[in-house]
Amino acid sequence: MKKGKSSTLLAAMCLFVLSLIISGCGKNTASTEASSNGYPKMTIKFAHVVAEDDPKGQMAEKFKEVVEDKSDGNITVKVYPNGQLYGDDNELQALQSNNVQIIAPQTTKLAGFDESMELFDIPFLFKDEDNLYEFEDSEIGKDLLKKLEGDGIKGLAFWPNGFKHITNSEREIKEPSDLKGLKIRTHGGEILNDSYKQFGAASTKIAFNDVYQALQLGTIDGQENNLTNIKSQSYDEVQGYLSLTNHTRTEYGLVANKGWWDDLNDQTKKLLSDAVDEATKKGRELAKKESEEALKEIEAAGKMKVHKMTEEEHDKFVQILQPVIDKWSKKMDPEIIENILDMQK
C-alpha cells in the first residue's frame, strides 16, 4: 500500500473513532446509569386530572417530596395536575407509550384490561373502610393489581376516593322505594346501571364538571358522590336531600409503565415503593379527615336534610340489590371476591 493511501486510511480511522467518542459523550445515559448514591439521575412524569389540593393531588405531591428527598435530588418528579399533560380520555394510552411514567385513574377506567378492577362498583361489597383497606393491603389485593401487567401496566397501589352517598332534589331517601322514578347521575358503567334499575330509578352518565348545572336545570334529580366532592362542588345549593348510604366506592389505581419500571434498579424500585406507601398513608388520613369535615360543614350549612341510614334500612338496600351483587360477583375473579367476604367474618 502506498504511503499516501495509508495516511488517508489512518486519518479516516481516527476520525471514525473520534466520532464514536463524541457520540458516546453526547448520549443521554441518565436514566440507566446510577449516581454515587445508587439512584439514577432521571425525571418521572406523574399526570393526574384533579386539583393539587384534592386528596389525590396531595398524595401525588407527597410521593414527589419523598422521592426527591430520599434520592438527594437525583430523581425529579414532575407532577402535572388538572389534566395539564393528559386527560381521562388519553392518559392510559400515554402511559402505555411511556410518554408519562405514572398516572392515577379511577379503577373503573382500568376495567377494560381486567373486569375484576370494577369490583369496587359492586354495591355494599365492603363493610367499611377498615375492611376495604385490609383487602387493598393484602396479597389478594396486590394480585388484583398484577392482572394489569399483561397490558404493560405496573400496579403500584390503590388510592382512596371515599364511599359514595346519594343526593337528590325530590325527597328523603330512607329505603329503596324512595329512589323510584328518580334520574341519578353516576360515573357510568353496567354495574351502576343495574343497581339503579333495581330501585326503579335511572342512572345516567354526565361529565363531572357538568353535574352542578344539570342539577340546577333539573336535567337530573340527583347524583352519587363522596362527601368531599358533594361539599366542594356546592351541591347543597341545588339539592335538598343527602342520604348517607355508603353503597359503593370507586378507588384510584396508582399505576406505572411496566417496561419503564422493570428497567429500574432494585434500590430505585424500593425507594419508589416506599414513597407510594407514605403517600397512600397520607391519602387515607386525608380522606377520612376531609370526609368528616365535609359532613360537618354540610350539616352546619343546613341547606340539605341529611339522613343517616339505620342498620335496618341498610339491610333493605342490600336485600334489593342482592341480584346485582350476585350477578357481578360471578363475573369477577371468584378467589378475590371470596377473600373479601372472608375478611368480613
Side-chain angles (χ1 to χ4, degrees):
M1 185 180 290
K2 293 183 179 179
K3 186 177 179 181
K5 287 185 178 181
S6 178
S7 299
T8 303
L9 181 59
L10 180 62
M13 289 177 66
C14 288
L15 286 171
F16 177 70
V17 171
L18 182 61
S19 69
L20 288 177
I21 293 171
I22 294 171
S23 176
C25 290
K27 186 180 179 181
N28 179 15
T29 58
S31 62
T32 56
E33 292 184 1
S35 62
S36 58
N37 65 3
Y39 298 115
K41 287 185 176 295
M42 66 176 182
T43 298
I44 300 172
K45 292 180 182 177
F46 186 157
H48 64 80
V49 299
V50 301
E52 290 173 277
D53 59 355
D54 181 273
K56 179 164 71 170
Q58 293 185 59
M59 285 185 277
E61 291 299 323
K62 181 64 176 179
F63 174 81
K64 168 185 171 72
E65 174 193 319
V66 173
V67 170
E68 294 183 347
D69 179 56
K70 292 189 175 180
S71 70
D72 295 327
N74 280 289
I75 303 175
T76 300
V77 180
K78 286 192 174 181
V79 179
Y80 298 88
N82 292 310
Q84 290 174 0
L85 197 60
Y86 297 103
D88 277 334
D89 58 339
N90 59 2
E91 62 179 355
L92 277 167
Q93 292 88 342
L95 181 81
Q96 289 177 299
S97 302
N98 201 33
N99 292 325
V100 61
Q101 285 70 58
I102 301 176
I103 60 173
Q106 289 186 348
T107 51
T108 50
K109 298 188 183 304
L110 299 168
F113 303 113
D114 191 282
E115 199 165 28
S116 293
M117 292 300 298
E118 206 168 2
L119 62 81
F120 297 96
D121 271 355
I122 297 176
F124 302 108
L125 180 61
F126 297 98
K127 184 172 62 175
D128 52 31
E129 224 156 49
D130 289 340
N131 176 221
L132 173 79
Y133 293 154
E134 183 185 4
F135 161 70
E136 291 180 351
D137 294 339
S138 70
E139 286 305 313
I140 201 74
K142 293 181 174 70
D143 286 344
L144 176 56
L145 288 171
K146 287 178 183 176
K147 289 178 178 291
L148 303 170
E149 293 186 2
D151 292 285
I153 297 172
K154 169 70 177 177
L156 301 177
F158 293 108
W159 275 4
N161 194 16
F163 278 102
K164 290 186 178 181
H165 311 279
I166 300 172
T167 70
N168 84 99
S169 58
E170 297 297 315
R171 52 187 171 267
E172 199 169 12
I173 305 298
K174 292 184 176 181
E175 54 184 58
S177 60
D178 293 328
L179 280 159
K180 189 173 183 178
L182 297 183
K183 192 173 185 180
I184 306 293
R185 181 268 174 186
T186 70
H187 65 247
E190 291 184 62
I191 299 178
L192 292 174
N193 289 340
D194 283 354
S195 297
Y196 281 97
K197 189 176 180 181
Q198 282 292 108
F199 297 137
S203 166
T204 184
K205 183 178 179 180
I206 295 175
F208 182 70
N209 292 337
D210 298 331
V211 174
Y212 183 94
Q213 185 177 29
L215 293 168
Q216 188 177 42
L217 296 174
T219 307
I220 50 177
D221 301 305
Q223 60 83 50
E224 58 165 36
N225 230 308
N226 63 53
L227 288 167
T228 305
N229 283 341
I230 290 171
K231 178 64 185 72
S232 67
Q233 297 300 308
S234 302
Y235 291 150
D236 59 348
E237 295 178 355
V238 287
Q239 298 275 267
Y241 306 94
L242 165 61
S243 189
L244 302 176
T245 52
N246 284 301
H247 61 288
T248 188
R249 178 165 179 138
T250 302
E251 295 290 84
Y252 297 117
L254 183 69
V255 293
N257 176 279
K258 187 175 183 298
W260 166 78
W261 179 271
D262 289 345
D263 284 342
L264 300 173
N265 64 39
D266 290 343
Q267 183 179 343
T268 303
K269 287 177 184 175
K270 185 178 186 309
L271 167 61
L272 299 185
S273 296
D274 289 346
V276 167
D277 290 344
E278 289 194 43
T280 303
K281 181 181 177 182
K282 177 184 177 70
R284 289 176 179 178
E285 292 169 352
L286 274 172
K288 181 178 176 60
K289 179 184 175 184
E290 294 197 4
S291 289
E292 290 172 350
E293 290 178 352
L295 181 58
K296 286 179 182 177
E297 290 177 22
I298 290 169
E299 290 177 323
K303 295 177 183 178
M304 278 197 297
K305 187 173 183 179
V306 180
H307 176 68
K308 297 178 181 179
M309 287 176 59
T310 66
E311 189 174 337
E312 183 181 354
E313 290 167 346
H314 170 272
D315 291 344
K316 286 182 181 179
F317 274 84
V318 174
Q319 184 178 0
I320 198 168
L321 288 174
Q322 198 62 52
V324 177
I325 296 170
D326 292 342
K327 172 187 173 181
W328 286 98
S329 293
K330 290 174 183 175
K331 289 177 177 287
M332 309 295 171
D333 186 324
E335 185 181 358
I336 291 177
I337 299 297
E338 196 175 308
N339 272 269
I340 292 170
L341 298 176
D342 284 344
M343 290 174 187
Q344 298 174 14
K345 295 177 182 177

